């Protein structure tokens, strides 16, 4: 391939990537419309100023577009904040509340609309996995049911759903919501630690079951 041909390919690839990003941005902008609960490709195409068939050249299915939009939102709007301990969650949620305030319609759409739930499916799975790993050192001695409940509560509290519900149902500001979530998470983690310590003490105090010897006879 000549230098001129390589340059032509490079320009074409760059243009294709710009078009792809414009489509994703148009999809997110459409999702941000407060009443959006379903999004037509025609509406996205109109906003992106491309033909509808162009969308399908870049995204073979709606699922591919939803996944790309989820990544775009995570990288450019709400941004995933890594954590290793559940004790970090109250401060992380406080930061997220400020981001939700900057894009309230998008945060609401991500929380409650059918399309929004599909868009956030990928990063929700990632967050749930991170919550599970962070909670693991705190729940080593708890039964599986309690572990599942603790992981679910921590994950739900550190969630745009909680922000949206408290904002819409109780008229709370993001600062008030963050304070309430910090109270709930702190109380939860204190109780989890207490239960795990009690379970550890109980486990150490149990005597292992006696093994029956070969000479032992079953009662007649």
């Amino acid at each position: 391939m000549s230098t001129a041909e390589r340059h032509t390919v490079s320009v074409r690839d760059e243009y294709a990537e710009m078009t792809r990003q414009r489509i994703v941005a148009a999809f997110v902008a459409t999702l941000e419309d407060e009443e959006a609960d379903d999004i037509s490709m025609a509406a996205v195409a109109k906003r992106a100023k491309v033909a509808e068939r162009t969308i399908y050249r870049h995204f073979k299915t709606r699922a591919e577009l939803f996944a790309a939009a989820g990544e775009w939102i995570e990288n450019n709007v709400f941004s995933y904040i890594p954590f290793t301990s559940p004790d970090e969650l109250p401060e992380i949620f406080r930061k997220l509340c400020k981001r939700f305030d900057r894009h309230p319609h998008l945060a609401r759409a991500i929380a409650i609309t059918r399309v929004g739930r599909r868009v956030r499916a990928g990063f929700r799975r990632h967050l749930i996995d991170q919550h599970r790993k962070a909670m693991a050192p705190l729940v080593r001695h708890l039964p599986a049911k309690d572990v599942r409940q603790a992981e679910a509560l921590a994950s739900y509290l550190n969630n745009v759903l909680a922000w949206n519900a408290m904002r819409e149902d109780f008229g709370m500001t993001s600062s008030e919501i963050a304070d309430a979530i910090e109270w709930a998470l702190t109380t939860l983690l204190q109780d989890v630690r207490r239960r795990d310590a009690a379970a550890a003490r109980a486990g150490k105090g149990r005597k292992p079951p006696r093994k029956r010897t070969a000479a032992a006879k079953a009662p007649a």
Side-chain angles (χ1 to χ4, degrees), residues 212-220:
R212 295 182 62 175
T213 64
K217 294 182 180 180

Side-chain angles (χ1 to χ4, degrees), residues 76-217:
N76 297 284
V77 182
F78 298 147
S79 301
Y80 169 70
I81 302 175
F83 60 93
T84 56
S85 167
D87 294 309
E88 300 171 54
L89 293 179
E91 186 57 32
I92 287 175
F93 189 80
R94 195 172 296 277
K95 291 177 181 177
L96 287 174
C97 282
K98 293 177 181 178
R99 296 176 185 180
F100 297 155
D101 275 350
R102 289 197 289 269
H103 302 272
H105 291 177
L106 182 57
R108 181 183 183 277
I110 288 294
I112 67 171
T113 66
R114 181 170 58 252
V115 172
R117 290 195 300 270
R118 292 179 65 184
V119 164
R120 73 188 179 96
F123 57 79
R124 278 307 302 157
R125 284 193 295 271
H126 179 54
L127 278 178
I128 289 170
D129 186 55
Q130 287 301 109
H131 281 94
R132 183 173 293 118
K133 290 177 181 177
M135 290 291 289
L138 276 62
V139 295
R140 282 194 285 259
H141 304 94
L142 293 181
K145 177 184 175 183
D146 290 359
V147 172
R148 187 166 61 253
Q149 289 176 344
E151 291 172 351
L153 280 171
S155 179
Y156 183 81
L157 289 169
N158 181 36
N159 195 317
V160 67
L161 287 167
W163 173 85
N164 186 72
M166 293 185 187
R167 179 174 175 265
E168 292 200 348
D169 297 343
F170 297 93
M172 296 168 69
T173 66
S174 279
S175 179
E176 292 172 329
I177 295 170
D179 288 343
I181 293 296
E182 181 174 3
W183 178 22
L185 281 169
T186 300
T187 302
L188 169 66
L189 295 177
Q190 287 174 345
D191 188 58
V192 167
R193 286 186 167 99
R194 180 187 61 79
R195 290 187 184 205
D196 191 68
R201 289 193 298 270
K204 289 179 182 178
R206 293 195 191 102
K207 293 182 180 180
R210 295 179 61 184
K211 294 181 179 179
R212 295 182 62 175
T213 64
K217 294 182 180 180

Side-chain angles (χ1 to χ4, degrees), residues 47-73:
R47 196 182 289 255
K49 295 182 172 58
V50 299
E52 189 172 343
R53 64 178 178 274
T54 301
I55 295 178
Y56 289 104
R57 280 207 297 268
H58 292 273
F59 303 96
K60 292 183 175 63
T61 64
R62 288 171 66 91
E64 283 188 15
L65 179 55
F66 291 169
E71 290 179 11
W72 192 94
I73 291 168

